[in-house]
Amino acid sequence: MKIKLSMWFKKRGKLNVFVYVFICLIIIGVTCFVINTLIKNTSEQIGYIERFDKTENGDYFALFYGKLWHSSGKEDLLFKVKMSRNKIKGLDYFSVRLFAWGKNQVAYCGNDLKELILVDYKTKREVYRKRMPEMIRYISANKKTNEFVIATEKRLYLLKSEYISKNKMYTFSLKQITRGSFCWPVLSPNGKYIACGEMDNKENDAATSLVVIDLNKNSKKKLLSERFGDMPINNVYRIIYSVAWSRDSRYVAISTSTPADPAYIWVSVADVLTGNVTEFTKNTGLCNPPVCSFSEDKFIFSQGNPGYKQFGDFSNIKDPFRTKLVLLNIKSKRLEYINQNPEDINVYWPVIGSNGIYFTDKSGYFSGEEGCSIYKIKNKRVILLLKVKGSLVSYDILKIY
């Protein structure tokens, strides 16, 4: 009897060891899965639009490729669209306006600029297509609220996207906000307001004011006039090149100028609550659009221009003939120069990601110059991420879960 009990305890001991090892392996496996998932979820991908201008049988057209770049070097083609140069004439100078990177989808225009199309990042499939009543002029995305703002020639729309887990699909609802001619519409981070330029001056349809639309009250307020003092609006008027919200949805910053060749662009900031406006003309002049949100009280932009050596007096600007990243502190009204600016690279088009500051080495926001590189500043190091062969039309930093 004692021998049988001893053998039973030995077998049970071996069984307990097996169970213990099995449970440990499960715990290790689950832990590795969670860590891997967290790493994957916190990693950032770059969505970008690459453009090539082509000629075929005397027809001039542009090819746009929407791509998703991974840190491994792998790239996914999300879409390809061909647009006739006659169709986008007048728009191709700022073709960035025709594309927007949302939380789960990228939005772009069809070849005749009347269709709004969305492609999902994960499936790489089209999930939404809508023909608008007139030509689309601007698209922007809010990655927090998962919404898109669309400005056509005559109207302003808001497109909401919602994922239905039961059906494993997205539903979309498009709502007309108001009528009018608007540019650079941007939804606030809290989803309550749309800030945009408005072109409604009867004397000059190119003159642009800055307005904020309250979506809850269905009201519109002008924050910045299209006029400058008593000067004639046909000669001197406001032009807006970009619009950005602060992270707390209180301040709106724009890159703006008057008609000039070359253009002298500066940053202006409006307080939505008080209506106070500051024109940072002198200390932010030679701004290269866009201006972007950096924190609740700071905006980031690229300052300087190598091609302006023969024009005007820029003695109030630090290193005016090379471009560098600058922070504008809207409370102290001072500039803070980022020390990690590489001395041998002109820095344009900053984008803020959770893992660093991204920038380009050419001003693709304006021109159609082919060949461009995207860099990242992290831990005081400048890292070359990828080289774009064509013209960089649009790019953003994405988190795909």
Side-chain angles (χ1 to χ4, degrees):
M1 186 70 179
K2 290 182 179 180
I3 295 173
K4 287 183 178 180
L5 285 172
S6 177
M7 290 178 66
W8 183 81
F9 278 116
K10 285 182 179 180
K11 288 182 179 179
R12 187 174 181 181
K14 290 181 180 179
L15 182 64
N16 288 339
V17 171
F18 175 78
V19 172
Y20 175 77
V21 172
F22 181 72
I23 292 173
C24 287
L25 289 173
I26 291 176
I27 293 173
I28 292 171
V30 171
T31 303
C32 291
F33 175 78
V34 171
I35 292 173
N36 183 62
T37 302
L38 289 172
I39 291 173
K40 184 178 179 182
N41 287 350
T42 55
S43 64
E44 293 178 314
Q45 292 83 36
I46 298 177
Y48 72 96
I49 310 294
E50 188 176 30
R51 169 179 171 166
F52 295 93
D53 290 331
K54 303 289 184 180
T55 305
E56 190 175 279
N57 299 324
D59 180 31
Y60 296 89
F61 60 90
L63 288 175
F64 295 92
Y65 296 88
K67 297 181 178 181
L68 185 63
W69 178 88
H70 303 266
S71 57
S72 63
K74 176 188 173 184
E75 287 192 335
D76 299 323
L77 180 64
L78 300 177
F79 68 86
K80 173 184 174 182
V81 61
K82 177 181 177 180
M83 296 184 187
S84 169
R85 292 295 299 276
N86 292 328
K87 285 284 185 182
I88 60 175
K89 187 178 181 180
L91 295 179
D92 55 350
Y93 185 62
F94 285 117
S95 47
V96 62
R97 69 176 78 176
L98 305 178
F99 308 91
W101 300 94
K103 181 179 180 181
N104 302 302
Q105 303 96 14
V106 57
Y108 70 99
C109 295
N111 57 8
D112 64 353
L113 301 184
K114 286 191 175 182
E115 281 190 313
L116 177 67
I117 307 166
L118 270 64
V119 174
D120 183 79
Y121 298 138
K122 284 187 176 180
T123 64
K124 306 172 192 63
R125 293 180 180 177
E126 180 183 312
V127 292
Y128 182 81
R129 182 183 288 259
K130 174 71 175 180
R131 190 160 187 85
M132 309 302 284
E134 56 264 339
M135 186 181 294
I136 298 170
R137 307 301 293 267
Y138 295 86
I139 310 173
S140 70
N142 185 318
K143 290 201 285 285
K144 286 188 176 181
T145 63
N146 205 23
E147 295 172 281
F148 294 88
V149 183
I150 303 97
T152 66
E153 292 174 302
K154 298 179 181 179
R155 298 172 178 87
L156 190 66
Y157 296 88
L158 186 65
L159 177 67
K160 293 187 177 182
S161 170
E162 183 180 358
Y163 184 72
I164 308 298
S165 56
K166 182 179 179 180
N167 301 326
K168 295 182 179 180
M169 63 181 293
Y170 288 95
T171 61
F172 300 90
S173 59
L174 183 69
K175 178 183 178 182
Q176 179 177 314
I177 302 301
T178 186
R179 296 180 64 90
S181 180
F182 300 97
C183 66
W184 307 111
V186 181
L187 183 67
S188 61
N190 61 15
K192 295 181 179 180
Y193 310 97
I194 295 176
C196 54
E198 183 177 30
M199 294 164 284
D200 67 344
N201 188 279
K202 295 180 180 179
E203 299 176 60
N204 188 341
D205 58 7
T208 313
S209 60
L210 175 66
V211 298
V212 167
I213 299 171
D214 189 319
L215 298 176
N216 294 329
K217 297 180 180 179
N218 194 26
S219 61
K220 181 176 65 177
K221 180 180 180 181
K222 182 183 289 191
L223 296 180
L224 267 168
S225 175
E226 66 272 40
R227 292 180 176 273
F228 287 93
D230 297 327
M231 291 180 280
I233 193 116
N234 289 330
N235 298 323
V236 180
Y237 53 91
R238 185 180 302 280
I239 301 172
I240 294 177
Y241 296 98
S242 71
V243 175
W245 282 93
S246 61
R247 295 187 181 181
D248 59 358
S249 301
R250 175 167 180 175
Y251 299 97
V252 178
I254 62 172
S255 52
T256 183
S257 78
T258 61
D261 189 14
Y264 184 89
I265 304 173
W266 67 90
V267 179
S268 300
V269 178
D271 186 330
V272 176
L273 294 183
T274 65
N276 294 333
V277 175
T278 305
E279 300 266 20
F280 293 95
T281 313
K282 292 184 178 180
N283 51 346
T284 67
L286 289 188
C287 160
N288 285 276
V291 56
C292 307
S293 175
F294 183 82
S295 62
E296 290 187 356
D297 56 359
K298 293 180 182 179
F299 288 93
I300 187 171
F301 67 98
S302 172
Q303 185 192 58
N305 197 312
Y308 276 45
K309 291 184 178 180
Q310 71 228 40
F311 303 103
D313 176 18
F314 305 112
S315 56
N316 60 314
I317 300 171
K318 182 180 179 181
D319 297 328
F321 308 126
R322 65 177 290 260
T323 58
K324 61 275 180 190
L325 296 180
V326 180
L327 296 178
L328 169 62
N329 189 316
I330 54 180
K331 292 184 178 179
S332 68
K333 298 183 180 181
R334 294 180 180 178
L335 299 184
E336 302 172 20
Y337 291 86
I338 296 176
N339 295 327
Q340 294 91 339
N341 283 290
E343 295 182 359
D344 57 340
I345 300 174
N346 281 309
V347 178
Y348 300 90
W349 204 345
V351 172
I352 306 301
S354 61
N355 292 327
I357 302 173
Y358 298 74
F359 65 89
T360 67
D361 59 357
K362 289 185 180 178
S363 56
Y365 193 80
F366 274 109
S367 64
E369 186 177 1
E370 291 191 2
C372 178
S373 296
I374 299 177
Y375 297 80
K376 176 181 180 179
I377 297 178
K378 183 180 180 181
N379 298 327
K380 298 183 179 181
R381 291 178 58 234
V382 177
I383 306 167
L384 172 61
L385 297 179
L386 74 149
K387 293 185 178 181
V388 179
K389 295 180 181 178
S391 305
L392 181 65
V393 172
S394 169
Y395 87 105
D396 206 344
I397 313 305
L398 307 173
K399 280 187 178 181
I400 302 173
Y401 296 90

